DNA sequence: TATGAATGAGGTTTCATTCAT
DNA sequence: TATGAATGAAACCTCATTCAT
């Protein structure tokens, strides 16, 4: 349902070819899902290309090729390149939001919760396609206000709010000393964001142990780690 | 009216070709300064445009218009659009590096030092053209490895090293408790970077008091602020 | 799977073609009338669209939508866009020709006859869809020689011949003085044609009382109108 | 001054090739006229193509080829295809208007005047490129209201007004009997217009002696021609 | 050195036509 | 028969780059 979690992870930078398309389905597809499949293939291909080259430098031709469809087919699903980009971001982000909303209720220590969250982020975002999407949004945001708006509304503001709640809980329970932190949940997330960007840009020069860094950061906030 | 007389002329550093104007001929100063002026105007205009639209979407026509030169003139200074972008980043970043290197020797408390530094960053980077340049590098880095490399080499690695030195000093002096922080100076800078990005993307929706946030972050690292 | 069972395969360019539907098969009426209905709907829709936009600018998509059929259906009735246009003109013009041929035998004065004819033209052509068709033929004729040919053969030449006969009758009866008029029946029709075109192009700027104009023209030819 | 009266009269229907462009001029061109020349070449080529195929079916590529310029060059002179068409019509029509305005003052008989006028029309419009332009306007007018407007304002309304003045003069002098004709100068022009259209569409099937037809028409209006 | 008209490859988008269902 | 998703050629237009002046 979530679109195909890790599959096309390869990311060959250039389009490998086009061994996608008509995936033998044929008999298993319930008729109308054919369109959905194709749309998904286009979305996937477009995300790869947009991430690899940015909006302006991406060619519809390459998206089509990678998705295994003809150029014209894209226009059956999207009005034009711009709205494709905008809808694409929405499409990809929605499941993320769903996941955030489905978070378990806060039981156990706040630090445990945040560590779990960080672990998840580490696995699912930093250094993955999803992380690249974040960088893409940072890159194109100013030229696509609607994308930045959407991202702020759906992800950032909720994330900030959630973090703030956790921080306040941590303060109330005495786990967190720095009371002002609740005013800037951004501080809590900042190293994770930096890790995302670092992986895209500098990992080659200086690999970053994001997991360890996040741990140190939590130590800073919660005090020296427990014996674990 | 005058762009920036002689200044930014320096530049290439690593740089590829760019034998630059001023072919030794003529009356030295006047002739070459004309060229330098023009080049500076182009660099300035290009930066504005690249920041506003990104590399691919920027038109040389617009750069020329903004710089007040003819389109062909750009090619007297730069081989093509790509190398213009690469050299541009170098040109703009060099003075920053110079400044970093000219930092006063560490006297006074580490916190004071870092606060001074943050204050400077606040004034000169966050929410300014310079901050946008950072976002531009984040945006275009993957497509311009040479730019990312240069930026890493000249700014990031030095900045990290400098921060690390400060952190170690802080630890040695007992100002900083969290010893592992020295391994991840990124944590120290992360909120500042986040502030830079936030201003570009989300300031409209939720203004961020960067100064206050940085203060809280320093409290977190150095412990509750002194009475000041 | 099969292209076009037997039907419209003929379509040899000149000839009225349009053996219309009814491939002899099946239960005659019901099945074939469905097809005929559909074809009629397509023809009607196509005429509207061609008139509104001209041949090249008309989209089959729009024709299909207006006709309430799927795009593919059009190809069950017509080989391609060009032959659709050609057959369309034929289809629409045939009844006109039939009507011309069914004209009553010349009784009464020639002027009465021509006035009746003009009245009819006024009501059924000038300012109507049919008039637009004339303009369409003028517009597309050069690119569709077969259309121009057909129109000349079926409508123009017969119309001219008919007019000439009337004029000669008028001359013989002494109603018309200008004997040379018989050599140029176009003169008789010219104002009517001009009225057709005027309505399409300039009615907005300067409405034209076509009826009155035609009357004046007849006065010119037949002499001052009778007391009526 | 009038652009090159008859020159490229050949009209090869398909673009002959491209032996136009840089016509050796070079030394004779006063620098800025180079642009004017090119623009003229484009206008000329565009008129040929638009006349031959209509607006929608004309390819910019063909215009460029025929004009002997690159595709991009067209966009140095015209914003896009539509405005090229609109400006083109204006450009071509302006000299016509100028000519109309420069008509000699009415001396001699009205019939002589009108005959002179008709003779001119015969030579310069009917069966010429200029005549085709009229047909083009009739064809595209509904889709280019601005063109129809312009044509009405600059040519039609002035022409009608001029004709009306002549007719009234003719009536006053007793040359014309039918007084109502002054209300419909269109009648006077109608056969000429019909001739224009006839030449484009039907000349192949039935050549029309336009000159003789116009004479007959004038006989109709002025009474049997004098012995001349 | 500086100009900007000219170029033409290449990008986005449209739309007639096909074909599996 | 009828459908309409899919195709891909071809159109318009942009813009980095060149070059005569």
């Amino acid at each position: 349902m979530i679109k195909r979690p890790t599959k096309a992870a390869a990311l060959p930078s250039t389009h490998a070819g086009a061994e996608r398309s008509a995936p033998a389905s044929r008999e298993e597809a319930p008729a109308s899902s054919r369109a959905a499949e194709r749309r998904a293939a286009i979305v996937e291909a477009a995300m790869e290309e947009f991430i690899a080259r940015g909006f302006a430098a991406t060619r519809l031709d390459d998206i089509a090729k990678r998705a295994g469809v003809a150029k014209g087919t894209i226009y059956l699903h999207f009005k034009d390149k711009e709205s494709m980009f905008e809808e694409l971001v929405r499409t990809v982000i929605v499941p993320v939001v769903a996941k955030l909303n489905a978070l378990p209720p806060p039981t156990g220590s706040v630090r445990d919760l945040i560590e779990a969250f960080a672990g998840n982020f580490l696995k699912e975002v930093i250094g993955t396609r999803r992380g690249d999407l974040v960088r893409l949004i940072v890159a194109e945001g100013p030229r696509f206000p609607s994308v930045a708006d959407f991202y702020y509304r759906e992800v950032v503001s909720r994330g900030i709010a959630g973090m703030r709640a956790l921080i306040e809980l941590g303060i109330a329970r005495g786990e967190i000393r720095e009371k002002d932190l609740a005013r800037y949940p951004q501080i809590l997330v900042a190293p994770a964001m930096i890790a995302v960007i670092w992986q895209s840009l500098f990992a080659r020069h200086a690999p970053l142990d994001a997991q360890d860094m996040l741990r140190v950061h939590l130590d800073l906030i919660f005090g020296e780690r427990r014996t674990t």
Side-chain angles (χ1 to χ4, degrees), chain A:
Chain A
M1 187 52 50
I2 303 161
K3 249 202 70 306
R4 254 173 308 165
T6 42
K7 190 182 150 194
L11 171 87
S13 188
T14 338
H15 41 285
E19 65 310 46
R20 153 83 39 53
S21 72
S25 43
R26 209 59 64 80
E27 73 279 40
E28 76 205 26
S32 91
S33 88
R34 283 294 300 277
E37 260 175 51
R38 269 187 135 94
R39 189 191 158 100
I42 292 171
V43 163
E44 167 120 358
M47 189 158 94
E48 300 280 345
E49 294 289 331
F50 281 139
I51 283 171
R53 311 202 202 308
F55 175 79
T58 290
R59 296 187 295 266
L60 273 295
D61 241 356
D62 289 341
I63 293 177
K65 221 166 283 171
R66 186 190 279 264
V69 303
K71 236 181 316 176
T73 304
I74 292 176
Y75 288 86
L76 298 177
H77 294 272
F78 302 96
K79 181 172 143 289
D80 57 15
K81 198 186 174 188
E82 287 209 6
S83 37
M84 174 163 61
F85 181 69
E86 292 172 358
E87 290 188 43
L88 161 76
V89 173
R90 283 189 185 85
T91 302
V92 175
I93 277 176
V94 161
V96 176
V97 176
K99 219 169 192 173
L100 282 180
N101 286 340
L103 278 185
T107 62
S109 79
V110 170
R111 165 145 199 174
D112 284 344
L113 265 173
I114 292 186
E115 263 186 4
F117 193 79
N120 196 50
F121 194 81
L122 216 54
K123 202 171 52 196
E124 303 223 337
V125 180
I126 295 175
T128 72
R129 192 59 21 83
R130 202 110 66 188
D132 290 333
L133 178 65
V134 172
R135 216 208 67 250
L136 182 62
I137 291 170
V138 169
E140 305 289 354
R143 261 143 289 150
F144 288 90
S146 83
V147 164
D149 290 2
F150 178 83
Y151 189 66
Y152 177 76
R153 193 164 7 95
E154 299 296 320
V155 180
V156 175
S157 70
R158 296 179 193 217
I160 293 285
M163 288 300 135
R164 175 172 291 125
L166 279 181
I167 292 168
E168 281 167 349
L169 189 61
I171 292 171
R173 288 195 186 168
E175 291 185 64
I176 296 174
R177 285 241 226 80
E178 179 62 50
K179 297 198 169 49
D180 288 334
L181 193 60
R183 294 201 342 262
Y184 299 106
Q186 288 94 339
I187 292 175
L188 185 59
V189 210
M193 298 303 302
I194 265 26
V196 164
I197 291 171
W198 191 280
Q199 300 300 346
S200 295
L201 296 183
F202 309 129
R204 213 175 21 207
H205 305 93
L208 179 67
D209 182 340
Q211 177 165 27
D212 194 40
M213 179 174 79
L214 294 190
R215 189 191 51 77
V216 172
H217 186 230
L218 292 187
D219 283 353
L220 197 60
I221 290 172
F222 288 93
E224 202 61 42
R225 196 174 45 166
R226 300 137 309 167
T227 23
T228 310

